[in-house]
Short mmCIF file of all heavy atoms in Angstrom, two decimals:
data_model
loop_
_atom_site.label_atom_id
_atom_site.label_comp_id
_atom_site.label_asym_id
_atom_site.label_seq_id
_atom_site.Cartn_x
_atom_site.Cartn_y
_atom_site.Cartn_z
N MET A 1 -66.89 -56.64 -10.94
CA MET A 1 -68.05 -56.24 -11.69
C MET A 1 -68.47 -57.40 -12.59
O MET A 1 -67.66 -58.02 -13.25
CB MET A 1 -67.73 -55.01 -12.54
CG MET A 1 -68.93 -54.48 -13.27
SD MET A 1 -68.66 -52.86 -13.97
CE MET A 1 -68.08 -53.28 -15.57
N THR A 2 -69.74 -57.67 -12.60
CA THR A 2 -70.30 -58.75 -13.39
C THR A 2 -70.86 -58.19 -14.69
O THR A 2 -71.55 -57.19 -14.69
CB THR A 2 -71.43 -59.44 -12.61
OG1 THR A 2 -70.96 -59.77 -11.32
CG2 THR A 2 -71.87 -60.69 -13.31
N LYS A 3 -70.56 -58.88 -15.77
CA LYS A 3 -71.08 -58.43 -17.07
C LYS A 3 -72.49 -58.94 -17.24
O LYS A 3 -72.87 -59.99 -16.73
CB LYS A 3 -70.19 -58.94 -18.19
CG LYS A 3 -68.80 -58.36 -18.12
CD LYS A 3 -68.07 -58.54 -19.41
CE LYS A 3 -66.69 -57.93 -19.26
NZ LYS A 3 -66.28 -57.20 -20.39
N ILE A 4 -73.28 -58.20 -17.99
CA ILE A 4 -74.69 -58.54 -18.19
C ILE A 4 -74.83 -59.86 -18.93
O ILE A 4 -75.76 -60.63 -18.66
CB ILE A 4 -75.43 -57.38 -18.92
CG1 ILE A 4 -76.94 -57.54 -18.82
CG2 ILE A 4 -75.01 -57.28 -20.35
CD1 ILE A 4 -77.49 -57.15 -17.51
N ALA A 5 -73.91 -60.19 -19.82
CA ALA A 5 -73.97 -61.47 -20.54
C ALA A 5 -73.78 -62.64 -19.57
O ALA A 5 -74.42 -63.68 -19.73
CB ALA A 5 -72.91 -61.51 -21.63
N ASP A 6 -72.91 -62.47 -18.58
CA ASP A 6 -72.71 -63.51 -17.58
C ASP A 6 -73.97 -63.70 -16.74
O ASP A 6 -74.32 -64.82 -16.37
CB ASP A 6 -71.54 -63.16 -16.66
CG ASP A 6 -70.22 -63.08 -17.41
OD1 ASP A 6 -70.09 -63.72 -18.48
OD2 ASP A 6 -69.31 -62.38 -16.92
N ILE A 7 -74.63 -62.61 -16.44
CA ILE A 7 -75.85 -62.68 -15.62
C ILE A 7 -76.96 -63.36 -16.42
O ILE A 7 -77.69 -64.20 -15.88
CB ILE A 7 -76.27 -61.27 -15.18
CG1 ILE A 7 -75.23 -60.71 -14.20
CG2 ILE A 7 -77.64 -61.29 -14.52
CD1 ILE A 7 -75.44 -59.27 -13.84
N ARG A 8 -77.09 -63.02 -17.68
CA ARG A 8 -78.15 -63.61 -18.50
C ARG A 8 -77.95 -65.11 -18.72
O ARG A 8 -78.90 -65.82 -18.98
CB ARG A 8 -78.23 -62.90 -19.85
CG ARG A 8 -78.87 -61.55 -19.74
CD ARG A 8 -79.32 -61.03 -21.09
NE ARG A 8 -80.13 -59.84 -20.91
CZ ARG A 8 -79.77 -58.63 -21.31
NH1 ARG A 8 -78.64 -58.45 -21.93
NH2 ARG A 8 -80.56 -57.60 -21.10
N ALA A 9 -76.71 -65.58 -18.60
CA ALA A 9 -76.43 -67.00 -18.81
C ALA A 9 -76.83 -67.85 -17.61
O ALA A 9 -76.90 -69.07 -17.72
CB ALA A 9 -74.94 -67.19 -19.10
N LYS A 10 -77.10 -67.23 -16.48
CA LYS A 10 -77.42 -67.97 -15.26
C LYS A 10 -78.92 -68.26 -15.16
O LYS A 10 -79.74 -67.57 -15.74
CB LYS A 10 -76.98 -67.18 -14.03
CG LYS A 10 -75.47 -67.05 -13.94
CD LYS A 10 -75.05 -66.40 -12.67
CE LYS A 10 -73.53 -66.34 -12.62
NZ LYS A 10 -73.07 -65.86 -11.34
N THR A 11 -79.22 -69.29 -14.37
CA THR A 11 -80.63 -69.65 -14.13
C THR A 11 -81.21 -68.71 -13.08
O THR A 11 -80.46 -68.07 -12.33
CB THR A 11 -80.74 -71.10 -13.62
OG1 THR A 11 -80.11 -71.17 -12.33
CG2 THR A 11 -80.09 -72.09 -14.56
N PRO A 12 -82.54 -68.62 -13.01
CA PRO A 12 -83.16 -67.75 -12.00
C PRO A 12 -82.76 -68.12 -10.56
O PRO A 12 -82.59 -67.23 -9.72
CB PRO A 12 -84.65 -67.95 -12.22
CG PRO A 12 -84.76 -68.33 -13.66
CD PRO A 12 -83.53 -69.13 -13.95
N ASP A 13 -82.60 -69.39 -10.27
CA ASP A 13 -82.18 -69.80 -8.92
C ASP A 13 -80.77 -69.32 -8.60
O ASP A 13 -80.49 -68.86 -7.49
CB ASP A 13 -82.26 -71.32 -8.77
CG ASP A 13 -83.68 -71.82 -8.74
OD1 ASP A 13 -84.58 -71.03 -8.36
OD2 ASP A 13 -83.90 -72.99 -9.08
N GLU A 14 -79.88 -69.42 -9.58
CA GLU A 14 -78.51 -68.93 -9.39
C GLU A 14 -78.51 -67.42 -9.18
O GLU A 14 -77.74 -66.89 -8.36
CB GLU A 14 -77.64 -69.28 -10.60
CG GLU A 14 -77.33 -70.75 -10.74
CD GLU A 14 -76.59 -71.08 -12.02
OE1 GLU A 14 -76.77 -70.36 -13.03
OE2 GLU A 14 -75.83 -72.05 -12.01
N LEU A 15 -79.36 -66.73 -9.93
CA LEU A 15 -79.44 -65.28 -9.79
C LEU A 15 -79.97 -64.88 -8.41
O LEU A 15 -79.47 -63.92 -7.81
CB LEU A 15 -80.31 -64.68 -10.89
CG LEU A 15 -79.74 -64.72 -12.30
CD1 LEU A 15 -80.74 -64.18 -13.30
CD2 LEU A 15 -78.44 -63.94 -12.37
N GLN A 16 -80.97 -65.60 -7.91
CA GLN A 16 -81.50 -65.31 -6.58
C GLN A 16 -80.42 -65.53 -5.51
O GLN A 16 -80.30 -64.73 -4.57
CB GLN A 16 -82.72 -66.19 -6.28
CG GLN A 16 -83.95 -65.81 -7.07
CD GLN A 16 -84.50 -64.45 -6.68
OE1 GLN A 16 -84.21 -63.90 -5.63
NE2 GLN A 16 -85.30 -63.89 -7.56
N THR A 17 -79.63 -66.59 -5.67
CA THR A 17 -78.55 -66.86 -4.72
C THR A 17 -77.50 -65.76 -4.77
O THR A 17 -77.04 -65.28 -3.73
CB THR A 17 -77.90 -68.23 -5.03
OG1 THR A 17 -78.91 -69.23 -5.00
CG2 THR A 17 -76.82 -68.56 -4.04
N GLN A 18 -77.12 -65.37 -5.99
CA GLN A 18 -76.13 -64.31 -6.13
C GLN A 18 -76.66 -62.98 -5.59
O GLN A 18 -75.91 -62.22 -4.96
CB GLN A 18 -75.73 -64.16 -7.60
CG GLN A 18 -74.58 -63.19 -7.80
CD GLN A 18 -74.13 -63.11 -9.23
OE1 GLN A 18 -74.71 -63.74 -10.12
NE2 GLN A 18 -73.11 -62.31 -9.48
N LEU A 19 -77.94 -62.72 -5.80
CA LEU A 19 -78.56 -61.49 -5.29
C LEU A 19 -78.51 -61.46 -3.77
O LEU A 19 -78.17 -60.43 -3.17
CB LEU A 19 -79.99 -61.38 -5.80
CG LEU A 19 -80.76 -60.13 -5.43
CD1 LEU A 19 -80.08 -58.89 -6.00
CD2 LEU A 19 -82.19 -60.23 -5.97
N LEU A 20 -78.81 -62.58 -3.15
CA LEU A 20 -78.75 -62.67 -1.70
C LEU A 20 -77.33 -62.43 -1.18
O LEU A 20 -77.12 -61.68 -0.23
CB LEU A 20 -79.27 -64.03 -1.23
CG LEU A 20 -79.33 -64.25 0.26
CD1 LEU A 20 -80.31 -63.28 0.91
CD2 LEU A 20 -79.74 -65.69 0.55
N ASP A 21 -76.35 -63.03 -1.85
CA ASP A 21 -74.94 -62.85 -1.45
C ASP A 21 -74.52 -61.38 -1.59
O ASP A 21 -73.82 -60.84 -0.72
CB ASP A 21 -74.03 -63.73 -2.29
CG ASP A 21 -74.21 -65.21 -2.00
OD1 ASP A 21 -74.77 -65.55 -0.93
OD2 ASP A 21 -73.79 -66.03 -2.84
N LEU A 22 -74.94 -60.75 -2.68
CA LEU A 22 -74.57 -59.35 -2.90
C LEU A 22 -75.23 -58.44 -1.87
O LEU A 22 -74.62 -57.46 -1.42
CB LEU A 22 -74.93 -58.91 -4.31
CG LEU A 22 -74.02 -59.44 -5.41
CD1 LEU A 22 -74.61 -59.14 -6.78
CD2 LEU A 22 -72.63 -58.85 -5.30
N ARG A 23 -76.46 -58.74 -1.50
CA ARG A 23 -77.14 -57.92 -0.49
C ARG A 23 -76.45 -58.05 0.86
O ARG A 23 -76.33 -57.07 1.61
CB ARG A 23 -78.61 -58.30 -0.39
CG ARG A 23 -79.41 -57.75 -1.55
CD ARG A 23 -80.87 -58.01 -1.37
NE ARG A 23 -81.64 -57.35 -2.42
CZ ARG A 23 -82.87 -57.68 -2.74
NH1 ARG A 23 -83.48 -58.64 -2.10
NH2 ARG A 23 -83.49 -57.03 -3.69
N LYS A 24 -75.99 -59.25 1.18
CA LYS A 24 -75.25 -59.45 2.43
C LYS A 24 -73.94 -58.67 2.39
O LYS A 24 -73.55 -58.03 3.37
CB LYS A 24 -74.97 -60.93 2.66
CG LYS A 24 -76.17 -61.72 3.08
CD LYS A 24 -75.83 -63.19 3.26
CE LYS A 24 -77.05 -64.01 3.61
NZ LYS A 24 -76.75 -65.45 3.72
N GLU A 25 -73.26 -58.72 1.24
CA GLU A 25 -72.01 -57.98 1.10
C GLU A 25 -72.27 -56.48 1.21
O GLU A 25 -71.50 -55.75 1.85
CB GLU A 25 -71.35 -58.30 -0.23
CG GLU A 25 -70.02 -57.61 -0.41
CD GLU A 25 -69.34 -57.93 -1.72
OE1 GLU A 25 -69.86 -58.77 -2.49
OE2 GLU A 25 -68.28 -57.33 -1.98
N GLN A 26 -73.36 -56.00 0.60
CA GLN A 26 -73.70 -54.59 0.67
C GLN A 26 -73.94 -54.17 2.12
O GLN A 26 -73.49 -53.10 2.55
CB GLN A 26 -74.93 -54.31 -0.18
CG GLN A 26 -75.30 -52.85 -0.23
CD GLN A 26 -76.59 -52.62 -1.01
OE1 GLN A 26 -77.50 -53.45 -0.98
NE2 GLN A 26 -76.65 -51.51 -1.72
N PHE A 27 -74.63 -55.00 2.87
CA PHE A 27 -74.88 -54.70 4.27
C PHE A 27 -73.56 -54.60 5.03
O PHE A 27 -73.35 -53.66 5.81
CB PHE A 27 -75.78 -55.77 4.91
CG PHE A 27 -75.92 -55.61 6.39
CD1 PHE A 27 -76.78 -54.67 6.91
CD2 PHE A 27 -75.18 -56.40 7.26
CE1 PHE A 27 -76.90 -54.50 8.28
CE2 PHE A 27 -75.30 -56.25 8.63
CZ PHE A 27 -76.16 -55.30 9.14
N ASN A 28 -72.67 -55.57 4.81
CA ASN A 28 -71.39 -55.56 5.51
C ASN A 28 -70.56 -54.33 5.13
O ASN A 28 -69.90 -53.74 6.00
CB ASN A 28 -70.61 -56.83 5.21
CG ASN A 28 -71.23 -58.05 5.86
OD1 ASN A 28 -71.85 -57.94 6.92
ND2 ASN A 28 -71.08 -59.20 5.24
N LEU A 29 -70.60 -53.94 3.86
CA LEU A 29 -69.85 -52.76 3.43
C LEU A 29 -70.41 -51.49 4.07
O LEU A 29 -69.65 -50.61 4.50
CB LEU A 29 -69.87 -52.64 1.91
CG LEU A 29 -69.05 -53.68 1.15
CD1 LEU A 29 -69.33 -53.59 -0.34
CD2 LEU A 29 -67.57 -53.52 1.42
N ARG A 30 -71.75 -51.40 4.14
CA ARG A 30 -72.36 -50.23 4.79
C ARG A 30 -71.99 -50.19 6.26
O ARG A 30 -71.74 -49.12 6.83
CB ARG A 30 -73.88 -50.28 4.63
CG ARG A 30 -74.36 -49.84 3.29
CD ARG A 30 -75.84 -49.51 3.26
NE ARG A 30 -76.66 -50.30 4.15
CZ ARG A 30 -77.55 -51.21 3.77
NH1 ARG A 30 -77.72 -51.46 2.49
NH2 ARG A 30 -78.27 -51.86 4.64
N PHE A 31 -71.97 -51.34 6.88
CA PHE A 31 -71.62 -51.41 8.31
C PHE A 31 -70.17 -50.98 8.51
O PHE A 31 -69.86 -50.23 9.45
CB PHE A 31 -71.84 -52.84 8.81
CG PHE A 31 -71.85 -52.95 10.30
CD1 PHE A 31 -73.01 -52.72 11.01
CD2 PHE A 31 -70.71 -53.29 10.98
CE1 PHE A 31 -73.03 -52.82 12.39
CE2 PHE A 31 -70.71 -53.40 12.36
CZ PHE A 31 -71.87 -53.16 13.07
N GLN A 32 -69.27 -51.45 7.64
CA GLN A 32 -67.87 -51.06 7.74
C GLN A 32 -67.69 -49.56 7.53
O GLN A 32 -66.88 -48.92 8.20
CB GLN A 32 -67.03 -51.82 6.70
CG GLN A 32 -66.82 -53.27 7.03
CD GLN A 32 -66.07 -54.00 5.93
OE1 GLN A 32 -65.55 -53.37 5.00
NE2 GLN A 32 -66.03 -55.31 6.01
N ARG A 33 -68.46 -49.00 6.59
CA ARG A 33 -68.36 -47.55 6.34
C ARG A 33 -68.82 -46.77 7.56
O ARG A 33 -68.22 -45.77 7.94
CB ARG A 33 -69.18 -47.17 5.12
CG ARG A 33 -69.05 -45.69 4.78
CD ARG A 33 -69.80 -45.32 3.54
NE ARG A 33 -71.23 -45.63 3.69
CZ ARG A 33 -72.11 -45.52 2.72
NH1 ARG A 33 -71.74 -45.15 1.52
NH2 ARG A 33 -73.38 -45.79 2.94
N ALA A 34 -69.89 -47.23 8.20
CA ALA A 34 -70.43 -46.52 9.36
C ALA A 34 -69.47 -46.56 10.54
O ALA A 34 -69.41 -45.61 11.33
CB ALA A 34 -71.77 -47.12 9.76
N THR A 35 -68.71 -47.64 10.65
CA THR A 35 -67.77 -47.77 11.77
C THR A 35 -66.38 -47.25 11.42
O THR A 35 -65.48 -47.31 12.25
CB THR A 35 -67.67 -49.23 12.25
OG1 THR A 35 -67.24 -50.04 11.15
CG2 THR A 35 -68.99 -49.72 12.78
N GLY A 36 -66.19 -46.78 10.18
CA GLY A 36 -64.91 -46.22 9.78
C GLY A 36 -63.87 -47.26 9.41
O GLY A 36 -62.68 -46.95 9.35
N GLN A 37 -64.27 -48.49 9.14
CA GLN A 37 -63.32 -49.55 8.82
C GLN A 37 -63.22 -49.83 7.32
O GLN A 37 -62.39 -50.64 6.90
CB GLN A 37 -63.73 -50.84 9.52
CG GLN A 37 -63.71 -50.75 11.03
CD GLN A 37 -64.25 -52.00 11.68
OE1 GLN A 37 -64.76 -52.89 11.01
NE2 GLN A 37 -64.15 -52.07 12.99
N LEU A 38 -64.03 -49.19 6.51
CA LEU A 38 -64.06 -49.48 5.08
C LEU A 38 -62.87 -48.85 4.39
O LEU A 38 -62.60 -47.66 4.52
CB LEU A 38 -65.36 -48.95 4.47
CG LEU A 38 -65.58 -49.24 2.99
CD1 LEU A 38 -65.66 -50.74 2.75
CD2 LEU A 38 -66.83 -48.56 2.50
N GLU A 39 -62.13 -49.68 3.64
CA GLU A 39 -60.97 -49.19 2.90
C GLU A 39 -61.28 -49.08 1.41
O GLU A 39 -60.87 -48.15 0.75
CB GLU A 39 -59.77 -50.10 3.13
CG GLU A 39 -59.28 -50.08 4.56
CD GLU A 39 -58.11 -51.01 4.78
OE1 GLU A 39 -57.57 -51.54 3.80
OE2 GLU A 39 -57.73 -51.18 5.95
N ALA A 40 -62.01 -50.05 0.87
CA ALA A 40 -62.33 -50.07 -0.56
C ALA A 40 -63.71 -49.43 -0.77
O ALA A 40 -64.71 -50.11 -0.93
CB ALA A 40 -62.32 -51.49 -1.08
N THR A 41 -63.74 -48.10 -0.78
CA THR A 41 -65.02 -47.39 -0.87
C THR A 41 -65.69 -47.59 -2.22
O THR A 41 -66.91 -47.54 -2.31
CB THR A 41 -64.83 -45.89 -0.62
OG1 THR A 41 -63.88 -45.39 -1.56
CG2 THR A 41 -64.35 -45.64 0.79
N GLY A 42 -64.93 -47.85 -3.27
CA GLY A 42 -65.50 -48.05 -4.59
C GLY A 42 -66.27 -49.35 -4.71
O GLY A 42 -67.09 -49.52 -5.61
N ARG A 43 -66.01 -50.27 -3.81
CA ARG A 43 -66.70 -51.58 -3.85
C ARG A 43 -68.20 -51.42 -3.62
O ARG A 43 -68.98 -52.18 -4.18
CB ARG A 43 -66.08 -52.49 -2.79
CG ARG A 43 -66.64 -53.88 -2.77
CD ARG A 43 -66.20 -54.70 -3.96
NE ARG A 43 -66.84 -56.00 -3.91
CZ ARG A 43 -67.34 -56.62 -4.96
NH1 ARG A 43 -67.24 -56.09 -6.15
NH2 ARG A 43 -67.92 -57.78 -4.83
N ILE A 44 -68.60 -50.42 -2.83
CA ILE A 44 -70.02 -50.20 -2.56
C ILE A 44 -70.75 -49.92 -3.87
O ILE A 44 -71.82 -50.47 -4.14
CB ILE A 44 -70.22 -49.03 -1.58
CG1 ILE A 44 -69.65 -49.40 -0.21
CG2 ILE A 44 -71.68 -48.64 -1.47
CD1 ILE A 44 -69.65 -48.25 0.77
N LYS A 45 -70.16 -49.09 -4.71
CA LYS A 45 -70.77 -48.73 -5.98
C LYS A 45 -70.88 -49.95 -6.90
O LYS A 45 -71.91 -50.16 -7.54
CB LYS A 45 -69.93 -47.65 -6.65
CG LYS A 45 -70.47 -47.12 -7.94
CD LYS A 45 -69.56 -46.01 -8.45
CE LYS A 45 -70.05 -45.45 -9.76
NZ LYS A 45 -69.18 -44.38 -10.26
N LEU A 46 -69.84 -50.77 -6.95
CA LEU A 46 -69.85 -51.95 -7.80
C LEU A 46 -70.90 -52.96 -7.36
O LEU A 46 -71.62 -53.53 -8.19
CB LEU A 46 -68.47 -52.61 -7.81
CG LEU A 46 -67.34 -51.80 -8.43
CD1 LEU A 46 -66.02 -52.55 -8.29
CD2 LEU A 46 -67.63 -51.52 -9.89
N VAL A 47 -71.02 -53.16 -6.06
CA VAL A 47 -72.00 -54.11 -5.53
C VAL A 47 -73.41 -53.61 -5.83
O VAL A 47 -74.28 -54.38 -6.25
CB VAL A 47 -71.79 -54.34 -4.02
CG1 VAL A 47 -72.95 -55.10 -3.41
CG2 VAL A 47 -70.49 -55.08 -3.77
N ARG A 48 -73.63 -52.32 -5.62
CA ARG A 48 -74.95 -51.75 -5.88
C ARG A 48 -75.34 -51.92 -7.35
O ARG A 48 -76.48 -52.26 -7.67
CB ARG A 48 -74.94 -50.27 -5.48
CG ARG A 48 -76.32 -49.66 -5.41
CD ARG A 48 -76.28 -48.25 -4.88
NE ARG A 48 -75.64 -47.38 -5.86
CZ ARG A 48 -74.63 -46.55 -5.59
NH1 ARG A 48 -74.13 -46.48 -4.38
NH2 ARG A 48 -74.12 -45.80 -6.53
N ARG A 49 -74.41 -51.71 -8.24
CA ARG A 49 -74.69 -51.85 -9.68
C ARG A 49 -74.92 -53.30 -10.07
O ARG A 49 -75.76 -53.59 -10.93
CB ARG A 49 -73.57 -51.24 -10.50
CG ARG A 49 -73.61 -49.73 -10.41
CD ARG A 49 -72.64 -49.09 -11.33
NE ARG A 49 -72.78 -47.64 -11.23
CZ ARG A 49 -72.13 -46.80 -11.99
NH1 ARG A 49 -71.30 -47.24 -12.90
NH2 ARG A 49 -72.31 -45.51 -11.85
N ASP A 50 -74.16 -54.22 -9.47
CA ASP A 50 -74.39 -55.64 -9.74
C ASP A 50 -75.78 -56.08 -9.28
O ASP A 50 -76.45 -56.85 -9.96
CB ASP A 50 -73.32 -56.51 -9.07
CG ASP A 50 -71.99 -56.48 -9.82
OD1 ASP A 50 -71.97 -56.06 -10.99
OD2 ASP A 50 -70.97 -56.90 -9.23
N ILE A 51 -76.21 -55.57 -8.13
CA ILE A 51 -77.56 -55.87 -7.64
C ILE A 51 -78.59 -55.35 -8.64
O ILE A 51 -79.55 -56.06 -8.98
CB ILE A 51 -77.79 -55.25 -6.24
CG1 ILE A 51 -76.96 -56.00 -5.19
CG2 ILE A 51 -79.27 -55.25 -5.87
CD1 ILE A 51 -76.95 -55.34 -3.83
N ALA A 52 -78.38 -54.16 -9.15
CA ALA A 52 -79.32 -53.58 -10.13
C ALA A 52 -79.35 -54.40 -11.42
O ALA A 52 -80.42 -54.63 -11.99
CB ALA A 52 -78.94 -52.14 -10.43
N ARG A 53 -78.19 -54.88 -11.86
CA ARG A 53 -78.15 -55.69 -13.08
C ARG A 53 -78.94 -56.99 -12.90
O ARG A 53 -79.70 -57.39 -13.78
CB ARG A 53 -76.70 -56.03 -13.43
CG ARG A 53 -75.94 -54.90 -14.03
CD ARG A 53 -74.55 -55.34 -14.48
NE ARG A 53 -73.80 -54.22 -14.94
CZ ARG A 53 -72.88 -53.57 -14.21
NH1 ARG A 53 -72.60 -53.98 -13.00
NH2 ARG A 53 -72.25 -52.54 -14.71
N ILE A 54 -78.75 -57.64 -11.77
CA ILE A 54 -79.45 -58.90 -11.52
C ILE A 54 -80.95 -58.67 -11.43
O ILE A 54 -81.74 -59.41 -12.02
CB ILE A 54 -78.91 -59.57 -10.24
CG1 ILE A 54 -77.49 -60.06 -10.49
CG2 ILE A 54 -79.80 -60.73 -9.82
CD1 ILE A 54 -76.78 -60.56 -9.25
N LYS A 55 -81.36 -57.63 -10.72
CA LYS A 55 -82.79 -57.34 -10.59
C LYS A 55 -83.39 -57.01 -11.95
O LYS A 55 -84.53 -57.38 -12.24
CB LYS A 55 -83.01 -56.21 -9.60
CG LYS A 55 -82.74 -56.63 -8.17
CD LYS A 55 -82.85 -55.48 -7.21
CE LYS A 55 -84.29 -55.16 -6.92
NZ LYS A 55 -84.42 -54.16 -5.85
N PHE A 56 -82.63 -56.32 -12.80
CA PHE A 56 -83.11 -55.98 -14.14
C PHE A 56 -83.34 -57.24 -14.97
O PHE A 56 -84.37 -57.39 -15.62
CB PHE A 56 -82.11 -55.06 -14.85
CG PHE A 56 -82.48 -54.77 -16.27
CD1 PHE A 56 -83.48 -53.86 -16.56
CD2 PHE A 56 -81.85 -55.40 -17.31
CE1 PHE A 56 -83.83 -53.59 -17.86
CE2 PHE A 56 -82.20 -55.14 -18.62
CZ PHE A 56 -83.19 -54.23 -18.89
N VAL A 57 -82.37 -58.17 -14.95
CA VAL A 57 -82.51 -59.40 -15.74
C VAL A 57 -83.68 -60.24 -15.22
O VAL A 57 -84.45 -60.79 -16.01
CB VAL A 57 -81.18 -60.19 -15.72
CG1 VAL A 57 -81.37 -61.58 -16.30
CG2 VAL A 57 -80.12 -59.44 -16.49
N LEU A 58 -83.84 -60.31 -13.91
CA LEU A 58 -84.95 -61.08 -13.34
C LEU A 58 -86.30 -60.47 -13.75
O LEU A 58 -87.23 -61.19 -14.14
CB LEU A 58 -84.84 -61.15 -11.82
CG LEU A 58 -83.76 -62.08 -11.28
CD1 LEU A 58 -83.62 -61.91 -9.77
CD2 LEU A 58 -84.06 -63.52 -11.63
N SER A 59 -86.42 -59.15 -13.70
CA SER A 59 -87.68 -58.52 -14.09
C SER A 59 -87.90 -58.63 -15.59
O SER A 59 -89.04 -58.78 -16.05
CB SER A 59 -87.71 -57.06 -13.65
OG SER A 59 -86.78 -56.31 -14.37
N GLU A 60 -86.84 -58.58 -16.36
CA GLU A 60 -86.92 -58.74 -17.80
C GLU A 60 -87.47 -60.13 -18.15
O GLU A 60 -88.34 -60.27 -19.02
CB GLU A 60 -85.52 -58.56 -18.39
CG GLU A 60 -85.43 -58.50 -19.87
CD GLU A 60 -84.00 -58.28 -20.31
OE1 GLU A 60 -83.10 -59.04 -19.89
OE2 GLU A 60 -83.77 -57.32 -21.07
N ARG A 61 -86.99 -61.14 -17.44
CA ARG A 61 -87.47 -62.51 -17.68
C ARG A 61 -88.93 -62.65 -17.26
O ARG A 61 -89.70 -63.34 -17.91
CB ARG A 61 -86.60 -63.50 -16.92
CG ARG A 61 -85.24 -63.66 -17.54
CD ARG A 61 -84.42 -64.68 -16.81
NE ARG A 61 -83.09 -64.77 -17.39
CZ ARG A 61 -82.12 -65.50 -16.89
NH1 ARG A 61 -82.33 -66.21 -15.80
NH2 ARG A 61 -80.93 -65.53 -17.46
N ARG A 62 -89.31 -62.01 -16.14
CA ARG A 62 -90.71 -62.08 -15.71
C ARG A 62 -91.63 -61.43 -16.73
O ARG A 62 -92.71 -61.93 -17.01
CB ARG A 62 -90.87 -61.40 -14.35
CG ARG A 62 -90.51 -62.30 -13.20
CD ARG A 62 -90.90 -61.68 -11.88
NE ARG A 62 -89.80 -61.89 -10.95
CZ ARG A 62 -89.03 -60.96 -10.44
NH1 ARG A 62 -89.24 -59.70 -10.70
NH2 ARG A 62 -88.05 -61.27 -9.64
N ARG A 63 -91.21 -60.29 -17.27
CA ARG A 63 -92.02 -59.60 -18.27
C ARG A 63 -92.17 -60.44 -19.53
O ARG A 63 -93.25 -60.53 -20.11
CB ARG A 63 -91.40 -58.25 -18.63
CG ARG A 63 -91.76 -57.14 -17.67
CD ARG A 63 -91.41 -55.80 -18.28
NE ARG A 63 -90.04 -55.75 -18.78
CZ ARG A 63 -89.03 -55.21 -18.13
NH1 ARG A 63 -89.21 -54.67 -16.95
NH2 ARG A 63 -87.82 -55.20 -18.64
N SER A 64 -91.08 -61.06 -19.97
CA SER A 64 -91.16 -61.86 -21.21
C SER A 64 -91.99 -63.11 -20.98
O SER A 64 -92.71 -63.55 -21.87
CB SER A 64 -89.76 -62.22 -21.71
OG SER A 64 -89.15 -63.14 -20.83
N ALA A 65 -91.94 -63.68 -19.77
CA ALA A 65 -92.76 -64.85 -19.47
C ALA A 65 -94.23 -64.47 -19.38
O ALA A 65 -95.11 -65.23 -19.77
CB ALA A 65 -92.30 -65.50 -18.17
N ALA A 66 -94.53 -63.28 -18.87
CA ALA A 66 -95.92 -62.83 -18.75
C ALA A 66 -96.52 -62.49 -20.10
O ALA A 66 -97.73 -62.63 -20.29
CB ALA A 66 -95.99 -61.63 -17.82
N SER A 67 -95.69 -62.04 -21.03
CA SER A 67 -96.22 -61.66 -22.33
C SER A 67 -96.36 -62.85 -23.28
O SER A 67 -96.96 -62.71 -24.33
CB SER A 67 -95.33 -60.59 -22.97
OG SER A 67 -94.06 -61.15 -23.28
N GLN A 68 -95.81 -64.00 -22.90
CA GLN A 68 -95.94 -65.20 -23.72
C GLN A 68 -97.40 -65.66 -23.68
O GLN A 68 -97.98 -65.82 -22.63
CB GLN A 68 -95.05 -66.33 -23.17
CG GLN A 68 -93.58 -66.03 -23.20
CD GLN A 68 -93.01 -66.18 -24.59
OE1 GLN A 68 -93.54 -66.89 -25.41
NE2 GLN A 68 -91.92 -65.48 -24.84
N PRO A 69 -97.98 -65.88 -24.84
CA PRO A 69 -99.36 -66.37 -24.86
C PRO A 69 -99.42 -67.82 -24.39
O PRO A 69 -98.59 -68.64 -24.75
CB PRO A 69 -99.76 -66.27 -26.33
CG PRO A 69 -98.48 -66.26 -27.09
CD PRO A 69 -97.45 -65.67 -26.18
N THR A 70 -100.37 -68.11 -23.54
CA THR A 70 -100.55 -69.48 -23.06
C THR A 70 -101.49 -70.21 -23.99
O THR A 70 -102.50 -69.68 -24.41
CB THR A 70 -101.09 -69.49 -21.63
OG1 THR A 70 -102.30 -68.75 -21.60
CG2 THR A 70 -100.10 -68.88 -20.66
N ALA A 71 -101.16 -71.43 -24.29
CA ALA A 71 -101.98 -72.20 -25.23
C ALA A 71 -102.91 -73.15 -24.49
O ALA A 71 -102.74 -73.57 -23.45
CB ALA A 71 -101.09 -73.00 -26.17
#
């Protein structure tokens, strides 16, 4: 599980890379569950929440950048 402070410390490019990796892992976990090979069922929940945290921080940054007045 990734802490929100760790996520906020990363650059947007690092977050996009981590998001892509987590989505691939989520796909693999779903595939394992469908074929009956998944042993760590709790990992699905952790990956899903990490994806949500990253998406939240990215959208938070976009909102703050959009609300900044341009000079």
Side-chain angles (χ1 to χ4, degrees):
M1 184 168 91
T2 309
K3 296 196 180 222
I4 195 77
D6 297 336
I7 293 172
R8 285 197 171 114
K10 294 185 178 187
T11 65
D13 289 335
E14 290 174 331
L15 290 176
Q16 289 293 341
T17 303
Q18 187 177 2
L19 183 61
L20 183 63
D21 292 342
L22 285 170
R23 284 186 174 161
K24 286 179 183 177
E25 182 179 356
Q26 184 184 35
F27 172 78
N28 289 330
L29 289 171
R30 281 197 327 249
F31 195 85
Q32 287 176 10
R33 183 177 59 186
T35 59
Q37 297 174 353
L38 183 63
E39 294 179 9
T41 57
R43 183 72 183 139
I44 294 173
K45 183 177 180 180
L46 294 176
V47 169
R48 193 175 69 232
R49 288 187 177 185
D50 283 344
I51 289 171
R53 284 185 185 100
I54 291 172
K55 289 175 78 173
F56 175 77
V57 169
L58 286 172
S59 68
E60 188 178 53
R61 288 182 183 174
R62 277 189 223 113
R63 277 194 309 261
S64 69
S67 67
Q68 297 283 336
T70 56

